Amino acid sequence: MRYPELRLFIGGEWRNTPDSLQVLNPATEAEIGRLPIARKADLEDALTAADEGFRIWSRTAPRARADIILRAARLMRERAEEIAPSITMENGKPLIQARLEVIRGAEVFEWDAGEAQRMYGRVIPSAPGIRYTVVQEPVGTVAAFAPWNFPMSQPARKIAGALASGCSIILKAAEETPAGAVHIARAFQDAGLPPGVLNLVFGVPAEISAFLIPQDQVRLVAFTGSTSVGIHLTELAARSMTPVLMELGGHAPVIVCDDVDARAAGVISASRKARNSGQVCTSPTRFFVAEKSFDVFAGAFADGAASVRFGDGLEPGTEMGPVANSRRIEAMEALVADARDKGAKVLAGGARPNRKGYFYPVTVLADVPDDARVMREEPFGPLAVINPVKSLDEAICKANALPFGLAAYGFTHSAANADRLASEIEAGNVSINTLEASVAEVPFGGVKYSGHGREGGAEGLHHYTHVKTISHRMALESDPTIAGARI
Ligand code: NAD
């Protein structure tokens, strides 16, 4: 299995630089690659290239843009068996999840390629002799920042939105997991994308964002990551009135009503919690379970969690890989210790295994007091808390108690309960009887501190465009409110 050569991609060319960062395999802690660090001159070149790329791409017919995006997506599908192992090696997820991620990435491109051809404007009813037309135009060059939890599908979201809209993009993908973005750039190069439309840089994140965001050419900042970094980038962007698209943290609540099969819901929840080792902004985390169903649900969840086979994602049969970096291990250990000290019960997991690699088992805490840190801080790892509730009112109140609002879930067969969950929970995405929240064809994003703007669905290109109103009078007109105005 080969890990790709890592390079910057600027103006249609691959570029090395003198200084580099280590890329580690989280399952073995061994180095698998060296990543060039962009210097100021490289970023300046990326800006010049993106400016030129925008000039060409924004004047390319939507149909022609879609053709190139679809060709690149087809190459990603064809190369899935080559790409998936490199994602597993750098991020840790099982190979089956890495393959699925490559396909999900291709689906994002395919969906947005279709949307590129449906960026409709409007003609507004008006008096005879005047026509008001509203059109959507690409904003310009996008500075985008993608995280390490989905090395392929996270960069895909940003690149697809920008390219489908007619924008150019400078993407800083995650330094810990660069291969997914490198494979995407290769596919676009081979698909015939004009130079400069897509540029890929890596380096010191804070330095790159501080340099790029204030530049005149940058007309949108798109970021996925933690709320604290999202706020910092939003502040930087505000100084130049640059709009932002922010997909930030969540702390997803799951409400389990007493009318569903609590055992089945527990089994589903345990396996979903293991997905991507819990490092998903929509990962189900705070479970509020009707008292009557609590013991059965918690028992099934704990059994399911304990039976998850964790190991190196490249080994057949692995159901959960390591977490992606040592920071996540430290975060799990601190949150579990704090909850334990405050009286929580550990139903499964709770201790790091004695082996090399950043492994941490699916951990289930029950009866966790509200003042435990894990009730407020997103664990972003394989950690779930299960607490009983006396009523749906109490569950909804607890679900809405945090400043986050990204994904939320409910298990119920009651239409009345489902309606209440859908309308009363403060979140960008509410899913009933499924723990899936994000597919290419639906808009995805948050409310409150989980960010704003949407990726995917019919709304996915809105942020990458601005609206222009054209007022066209068929004859020259003088202003009747100004005395003496004459033509
Ligand atoms: P982080 O916010 O520091 O990093 C997330 C990504 O942002 C990384 O790829 C990093 O390179 C980039 N980044 C960090 N500082 C930056 C800056 N000043 N300018 C530009 N880019 C910057 O967090 P982390 O320690 O890597 O992960 C921890 C937390 O991040 C998690 O607890 C989770 O809440 C959040 N996170 C969320 C998502 C998501 O999908 N919403 C993904 C990854 C991480």
Side-chain angles (χ1 to χ4, degrees):
M1 270 169 223
R2 211 174 60 84
Y3 190 73
E5 199 168 52
L6 304 170
R7 295 281 181 269
L8 313 181
F9 185 63
I10 295 172
E13 287 177 0
W14 295 97
R15 183 183 290 199
N16 208 356
T17 64
D19 293 324
S20 64
L21 293 164
Q22 258 194 333
V23 180
L24 299 181
N25 179 339
T28 61
E29 300 177 42
E31 179 178 304
I32 51 173
R34 304 283 319 183
L35 183 67
I37 297 178
R39 301 151 295 183
K40 187 163 169 270
D42 300 310
L43 300 178
E44 281 166 347
D45 289 349
L47 280 165
T48 307
D51 211 23
E52 179 55 24
F54 178 66
R55 241 190 299 282
I56 297 166
W57 194 238
S58 57
R59 293 179 196 156
T60 302
R63 180 69 208 218
R65 294 204 298 259
D67 281 347
I68 290 178
I69 297 171
L70 289 173
R71 211 175 299 146
R74 197 163 54 243
L75 289 173
M76 289 172 220
R77 284 182 183 274
E78 286 168 13
R79 297 172 185 178
E81 291 307 310
E82 178 198 344
I83 300 173
S86 55
I87 290 177
T88 294
M89 287 165 81
E90 64 184 13
N91 169 276
K93 68 185 68 185
L95 204 47
I96 187 169
Q97 290 180 29
R99 278 196 201 105
L100 194 63
E101 189 184 332
V102 177
I103 302 306
R104 281 287 172 92
E107 284 170 1
V108 164
F109 284 113
E110 288 155 1
W111 175 265
D112 279 353
E115 287 304 297
Q117 299 165 84
R118 291 188 282 272
M119 284 173 52
Y120 302 126
R122 282 179 297 148
V123 176
I124 294 177
S126 56
I130 185 159
R131 173 162 295 185
Y132 298 120
T133 314
V134 178
V135 295
Q136 295 182 70
E137 294 183 331
V139 290
T141 293
V142 179
F145 304 88
W148 43 262
N149 53 340
F150 289 99
M152 184 90 185
S153 61
Q154 287 285 4
R157 286 275 197 198
K158 308 277 177 278
I159 298 169
L163 267 51
S165 313
C167 298
S168 60
I169 182 169
I170 303 173
L171 173 74
K172 189 204 78 62
E175 285 69 22
E176 289 162 321
T177 59
V182 165
H183 281 295
I184 293 176
R186 287 237 167 89
F188 272 101
Q189 187 183 30
D190 295 344
L193 187 74
V197 179
L198 164 61
N199 304 278
L200 182 59
V201 297
F202 300 100
V204 182
E207 288 177 11
I208 294 180
S209 56
F211 177 79
L212 287 181
I213 291 174
Q215 304 293 334
D216 282 347
Q217 297 97 318
V218 170
R219 297 296 167 86
L220 173 68
V221 175
F223 172 73
T224 297
S226 63
T227 296
S228 56
V229 174
I231 289 172
H232 170 64
L233 299 190
T234 301
E235 285 171 351
L236 276 181
R239 290 183 206 151
S240 50
M241 286 306 282
T242 307
V244 297
L245 171 56
M246 290 283 150
E247 205 268 84
L248 307 177
H251 202 317
V254 186
I255 295 177
V256 183
C257 298
D258 62 8
D259 62 88
V260 289
D261 178 343
R263 186 176 306 282
V267 171
I268 293 167
S269 300
S271 74
R272 192 68 181 183
K273 188 72 228 182
R275 176 180 170 241
N276 218 33
S277 303
Q279 302 160 119
V280 189
C281 50
T282 58
S283 188
T285 299
R286 291 176 298 143
F287 289 79
F288 301 113
V289 183
E291 269 181 341
K292 198 179 110 190
S293 308
F294 182 82
D295 289 342
V296 173
F297 179 86
F301 197 135
D303 290 348
S307 71
V308 169
R309 274 193 303 260
F310 60 84
D312 189 326
L314 292 176
E315 282 165 17
T318 294
E319 293 172 329
M320 188 175 90
V323 290
N325 50 58
S326 58
R327 299 191 300 286
R328 299 312 329 135
I329 292 279
E330 287 152 23
M332 294 305 103
E333 287 179 332
L335 291 174
V336 170
D338 171 76
R340 255 194 183 128
D341 286 351
K342 289 174 176 150
K345 292 187 204 126
V346 181
L347 301 188
R352 191 179 177 181
N354 186 17
R355 62 179 285 181
K356 210 167 173 57
Y358 307 133
F359 290 97
Y360 200 85
V362 181
T363 296
V364 184
L365 304 177
D367 297 322
V368 186
D370 285 342
D371 66 346
R373 281 175 52 199
V374 70
M375 296 305 287
R376 298 183 308 277
E377 292 174 32
E378 180 185 27
F380 218 70
L383 175 54
V385 299
I386 312 180
N387 281 353
V389 284
K390 290 188 183 337
S391 66
L392 191 54
D393 283 338
E394 184 190 351
I396 291 173
C397 179
K398 291 198 155 152
N400 286 340
L402 296 191
F404 299 110
L406 193 59
Y409 309 94
F411 285 106
T412 181
H413 293 305
S414 151
N417 287 349
D419 185 57
R420 284 199 62 195
L421 295 176
S423 58
E424 293 179 34
I425 291 192
E426 297 164 358
N429 294 67
V430 177
S431 305
I432 311 284
N433 295 335
T434 169
L435 296 173
E436 178 66 76
S438 162
V439 291
E441 58 267 36
V442 304
F444 176 77
V447 298
K448 305 200 282 189
Y449 279 81
S450 293
H452 54 84
R454 295 292 178 266
E455 296 183 312
E459 290 79 359
L461 303 192
H462 287 182
H463 251 72
Y464 293 90
T465 64
H466 54 227
V467 165
K468 181 182 274 178
T469 301
I470 301 149
S471 306
H472 182 179
R473 207 169 257 286
M474 304 305 148
L476 300 187
E477 182 205 44
S478 62
D479 186 341
T481 62
I482 299 176
R486 294 284 182 273
I487 295 278

